[in-house]
Amino acid sequence: MKRSLVHPHPMLLFWGGRVSLRANQRQRRLCASTSAAAAVKMEALILEPSLYTVKAILILDNDGDRLFAKYYDDTYPSVKEQKAFEKNIFNKTHRTDSEIALLEGLTVVYKSSIDLYFYVIGSSYENELMLMAVLNCLFDSLSQMLRKNVEKRALLENMEGLFLAVDEIVDGGVILESDPQQVVHRVALRGEDVPLTEQTVSQVLQSAKEQIKWSLLR
């Protein structure tokens, strides 16, 4: 006896198709929602506010050689890598009039004065205005300390003041101060508090010269 084939009712096919279509749509919406949530989470991680704004502060001469460099993380862990980065950054910026550059995935703000080039470096998503505030504070502080003679020779003669100023402005990559008046005031106070045993060689030699000069004049 042959079995007769039972054909499903057209309405069952219709509703079954609609159920399958809705299931597929729900699945697609779920995937899209998951992807969007992951993207938002990733973006939030990237743009999460951080106090560690500054990655490095550099001062180079007009040949691109280092006069001062302070790195606040391990982006460039070795001196060789740091020097290569400094040479690259100098080559990219010393002939341009711009104040902001993106280099090696980093945001760089800079300015020049006679034979000096000042750089403040942050991450690629860092606020340029924050970095520029650090740069301007450092430059204006040195300008006051050097009596507006911001050039290589004067800077080399006052390196201890430069180190103190940088420490007042940034600590471990965290911006502490953006007012040059406050920086200069604190540097002056710290300079007065430095004991003789911690004075630099240049300070000791200068003191000795002054004593010899006055002894000869007597």
Side-chain angles (χ1 to χ4, degrees):
M1 181 177 179
K2 293 183 178 179
R3 287 185 178 177
S4 59
L5 296 175
V6 179
H7 297 283
H9 193 279
M11 288 301 293
L12 292 178
L13 290 175
F14 173 74
W15 285 109
R18 290 192 64 179
V19 170
S20 177
L21 179 61
R22 288 177 179 174
N24 289 335
Q25 289 175 339
R26 280 198 299 269
Q27 187 173 5
R28 283 198 295 269
R29 283 198 296 269
L30 180 61
C31 291
S33 176
T34 303
S35 300
V40 170
K41 185 177 181 181
M42 181 64 70
E43 184 177 2
L45 288 174
I46 293 174
L47 301 177
E48 184 178 358
S50 173
L51 292 175
Y52 300 95
T53 304
V54 179
K55 286 183 171 292
I57 295 176
L58 309 173
I59 302 177
L60 309 178
D61 65 14
N62 56 357
D63 293 320
D65 295 325
R66 175 195 289 189
L67 298 178
F68 173 87
K70 192 157 190 177
Y71 290 81
Y72 296 101
D73 64 10
D74 57 356
T75 301
Y76 300 99
S78 69
V79 174
K80 183 179 180 180
E81 290 174 296
Q82 293 173 4
K83 290 290 185 71
F85 171 68
E86 291 161 18
K87 188 62 68 174
N88 188 22
I89 201 174
F90 177 77
N91 291 336
K92 297 287 186 182
T93 59
H94 79 285
R95 293 181 180 177
T96 65
D97 295 328
S98 177
E99 296 180 337
I100 301 174
L102 290 174
L103 183 67
E104 298 186 18
L106 299 171
T107 301
V108 180
V109 298
Y110 57 97
K111 67 169 34 179
S112 62
S113 174
I114 308 176
D115 52 0
L116 297 175
Y117 290 83
F118 296 79
Y119 300 90
V120 176
I121 295 113
S123 63
S124 59
Y125 52 87
E126 196 55 70
N127 189 327
E128 296 93 342
L129 296 178
M130 296 288 288
L131 299 176
M132 190 62 72
V134 173
L135 178 64
N136 290 333
C137 182
L138 174 61
F139 184 86
D140 293 343
S141 298
L142 289 176
S143 182
Q144 292 184 44
M145 293 163 59
L146 301 177
R147 299 178 182 179
K148 297 185 178 181
N149 187 28
V150 186
E151 50 90 24
K152 180 177 178 179
R153 182 177 178 180
L155 183 68
L156 290 176
E157 292 175 352
N158 293 272
M159 290 298 288
E160 63 275 9
L162 168 62
F163 280 91
L164 292 174
V166 171
D167 287 344
E168 289 293 336
I169 299 169
V170 177
D171 182 22
V174 179
I175 301 173
L176 299 179
E177 185 59 75
S178 60
D179 183 351
Q181 299 287 350
Q182 291 295 325
V183 172
V184 173
H185 177 66
R186 290 172 187 163
V187 167
L189 291 177
R190 288 179 63 180
E192 292 174 359
D193 292 338
V194 176
L196 180 63
T197 55
E198 296 181 9
Q199 288 183 346
T200 62
V201 174
S202 61
Q203 288 175 309
V204 174
L205 289 176
Q206 184 63 32
S207 176
K209 288 178 183 178
E210 292 293 329
Q211 291 178 13
I212 293 172
K213 182 179 72 173
W214 285 110
S215 65
L216 292 174
L217 291 175
R218 289 176 181 174

